[in-house]
Amino acid sequence: MIVGIDLGTTHSLIGIHAAEGPRLFPNAHGELLTPSVVSLDNDTVLVGQPARDRLVSHPQLSVAHFKRWMGSDRETRLGNRTFRAEELSALVLRSLLADAEAALGHRVDEAVISVPAYFSDAQRKATRIAGELAGIRVERLINEPTAAALAYGLQQHDEESRILVLDLGGGTFDVSVLEIFDGVVEVHASAGDNYLGGEDFLQVLMQAFHAELGIAASDLSAAEQAQLLRRLEVFKRELSVQGQARRHLPLAGAERTWQLDEARYASLCEPLLQRMRTPIERAIRDARLKPDALDDIVLVGGAVRMPMISKLATRIFGRLPLRHIHPDEAIALGAAVAAGLKARDESLREVVLTDVCPYTLGTQVSRRDASGGERSGYFHPIIQRNTVVPVSREDRFYPLHEQQHAVRIDVFQGESPTVDRNIKLGELNVPLTHRGPLHERGVTTRFTYDINGLLQVEVTEDATGRRHELVLEQNPGLLTPEEIQQRLQALQALKIHPRDAQQNLAIIARAERLYEELIHQREPLQTWLAQFRHALEGQDTTLIDRQRRELAYALDALEAGE
Amino acid sequence: MSWGLDVLELDADADERAIKRAYAKRLRVTRPDDDPVAFQHLHQAYQAALDWVRAESTADDGLDHAWAEADGALEAMAFSAQQPTPGVGEYSPPRPPQGTPVLLRTQPPVEPDGGVDVPANAQRILCEARLSPADAFGPWLEATPILWSLRYKPLVGQALLDELVRTGDGVCAANMSLLVRCFGWDDVHDGVDPDRLEAIRTRTHRRWAVQSGDPTQINAALHREGSLQMAQATAERCLRYLSKPWHAGWALWRAVLPDHVTDANRMMDALEQNGFEQLPVSWDPRQVAFWRNLVDVSQINRWRCLLGMLRGILIGALAAMLPLPFTFMALLDGLDRDMSEYGLAAIGICTAFALIGVLWPLLRWSVRQLTLDHSHTRFGLLLTLPAPLMAIASLVLIHGLGQRVEGTLMIFPALALATARWWRRVGYRIDFRIRYAVFLMLAMFIAEAGAVLVLGYWLWELAQDRRSRAETVRR
């Protein structure tokens, strides 16, 4: 049984494709959305809502938004351990898998994980490694807008439609142009920005707040910042729903009232909205589609609830975008369908999905300029972006000088005509054994990009027929297999609370957070916490449940009162 | 009939819908994860079939009718955000800035019903790019309505690029970067070749620097890419020369050293200042013309002759100073020498060199002229007269004054000039024929023959020139 996972920047979900359709699994707290936050409590790991609460109460031991660090070497320190982004994602995956296994009743060993369409090769590999560290096989990754289109397309019963999916998640922005006809979901083009998401819009709000109150971010402690961020999230939501918001926000122990209306917020976010234009224009251009040939504009992702996003889409396309699929769940539902497709579910017999490679792959070449000198650093594309995968293309290259013994085939990924702005994936040194004039010493390079996103490079020396292969498994910035094993051992040493204990942990974490936030209510909170902890030690489950419910009511009352 | 249709087993009259249905049917069997090679073949067939069908049918030139609907829709979506009155003691943010931001404006698009004037829009953007500073140009570009149209933006971009290449207008580097990013000219897929783009960038930036007239800017622009192999001080000197207001004596004096002339011309070449249009504000056209003409061998004017004369005088003076130490020593030795003799000799040498200095460019230029049409210069035909004049003078010397030797000597330069002109006319080919050589030898010894030859050749050239001029007029 293959599960589909949406590993998002702010929230993650897990689901499966059942006979009647895709279905998502709730976590231990009964929610479908699990926050992608990890917190450490001595040697025990907390994932989800409790960890999110602990961002405020124990900011040094909790971390969020680590999806942005995937594919890089960045490590974060929690307590006395350091974690890479893959490990943190692996912990989130484990928690999700535990939820799925509890619902299914048996172990899960394979998953299809969704990634932003514009994720680079290194970022995709990091996602696979995260799966490996979580103890599952991840062979296929699905692009997030494609997943949303899958979920949307299965609801549609039109003959054919061309849709544009705008996916604004917590940390990434993706655009895909797709065509759905006769059960075929065909992606024409994808583009995006890996550093533009709901979090950036929140940062704008934060900066505006700081600016208008004349303080700098460094004036606040980490706990205060986390608290402020949490309050601003609520503020932002109110802004989106009601058009204006007015809240008491904490500041250095005191409370200040701040109000803002949607129009002003939109003007503050103007630079971010302008950045969204470029991927949209590129996707339309690459799909060779007239904008009025589109039937629907579909918005997915949590951040599209902001009215300014709809306004932007309307401004660009001249029509109202569609939002009738649940923006938070669409991608996970699509990932579940993709899992079903991979597992060859009978109910999905009629559905076929074809995707594209979102970036250009090529090699580095040198040119002779007008004065006869040579210049290197030019990017020669072999697989153009937005070609349907699986794809295999070849090209012929010649050495520049007579005295060359070998040619170096560098593999680059990117859209710039010079390699210094592209990403290097690897290199292959091919010795030239044949001696002769330059035009006889050519090599043929073949790039094969398969449906799982693995690139294979094969270079053949034309004169002799010798072959050299390079399968790009390893990247700089990624872990080697030995390192993966090491990290796996280290992760297995970490304890994760059993699922039944999760709710208790959640309530404690919530109480601790409120303790941190509501300075004037600390006395009662302390008492209740001590009471509950005492009850936990007693291990009488009925008593614990009752105490927990009472505590929950009390905390609800407290939060409502603020 | 496309091979794609064959693979999909369709008839030639299949439409897009039928092609898609056939493709979908086959795709369920040949899935991408099952058999990559077969899938690729199927997909290529599908693409080929679609391209063929689309090429067959006429393109439908639809307009963005949805724009009119969009304005109404935006009105409906706009909520009325009431500004609550701030109470006492409460903190409220300052008023929103003047001018509503781009995205909230619901102004109608530029497009009239008939279509959009793409070149005019491109011109407008180029004008703005030339004139406005970088921090203002960015927001202006983001707000331009035509660039919000997905359909017209690429067209405007192409028109803008063509215009830039054609006129070579000056745009500062920052604005150029904004344009490149806006229109995606640095894209490997459908952008401009990187070398060409770099050349365009450098050129427009240099033009902009030149048009600003500020020497520091121009210097910085020239040395930005290091392509101008000139020392900073030299470049500054050249710019100083070119920016000076026109003064004949000063310019002549500065141009004495040939290095200065070549440097100034190299600088103008680097700035691509080939003509006199779009000169920097501080540059006098006469100054530019002066420096340009000094290296242009196809032109002749009085400045070149004067410069030659000046150079000649200076060289002569230097040459005359060479025997000075010897003269001194002779004087000291007590040899009876008249200083006036020395003085006269010195003046004589100077004059000789000055004459050479004047004659040399004249001769060089006159040899280079293929036609006798010099109506564009002030001296016109007079400058081609040396050869026939010398021929007549030699005849006069021989038959009038009886000086045969001097006459024959006089004919040599005339013959040399005529031969040089003839050689240039035939394209510097050495077509050695015995009878020409014999004839020439004869002419050298018999001055009359030589004179006749020179005069005849000159008249023949005159006739040729008249005829070709008449032909051009008729044409």
Side-chain angles (χ1 to χ4, degrees), chain B residues 185-346:
Chain B
W185 290 335
D186 57 353
D187 185 49
V188 69
H189 193 25
D190 47 15
V192 182
D193 180 76
D195 288 335
R196 186 158 170 251
L197 188 64
E198 194 53 42
I200 295 174
R201 265 203 233 231
T202 318
R203 187 163 158 231
T204 52
H205 182 68
R206 282 189 183 162
R207 295 294 265 167
W208 173 81
V210 162
Q211 279 157 18
S212 71
D214 181 9
T216 24
Q217 283 280 20
I218 298 178
N219 215 357
L222 281 173
H223 286 91
R224 205 167 76 117
E225 283 80 37
S227 54
L228 183 67
Q229 303 295 329
M230 206 190 258
Q232 195 96 343
T234 321
E236 274 169 20
R237 173 170 40 85
C238 295
L239 283 171
R240 231 185 17 251
Y241 286 1
L242 290 165
S243 331
K244 270 246 190 269
W246 170 245
H247 183 264
W250 181 91
L252 272 175
W253 181 243
R254 286 280 174 272
V256 160
L257 286 176
D259 265 355
H260 288 196
V261 178
T262 41
D263 282 343
N265 276 284
R266 269 176 60 212
M267 157 135 312
M268 283 197 279
D269 285 337
L271 292 173
E272 294 177 35
Q273 198 71 51
N274 294 320
F276 301 103
E277 76 290 331
Q278 294 182 345
L279 274 179
V281 265
S282 56
W283 290 16
D284 191 334
R286 286 177 297 177
Q287 186 83 265
V288 174
F290 171 76
W291 292 94
R292 268 291 186 219
N293 286 337
L294 286 178
V295 291
D296 190 0
V297 287
S298 66
Q299 299 279 346
I300 195 78
N301 58 10
R302 59 174 186 261
W303 303 121
R304 289 188 68 188
C305 300
L306 276 173
L307 187 66
M309 196 160 72
L310 189 62
R311 282 182 183 165
I313 291 172
L314 285 171
I315 295 174
L318 275 171
M321 279 201 261
L322 276 174
L324 203 61
F326 297 104
T327 328
F328 261 135
M329 281 197 282
L331 274 176
L332 286 172
D333 269 350
L335 280 170
D336 193 13
R337 273 288 178 207
D338 198 348
M339 275 308 284
S340 60
E341 247 183 55
Y342 171 73
L344 275 173

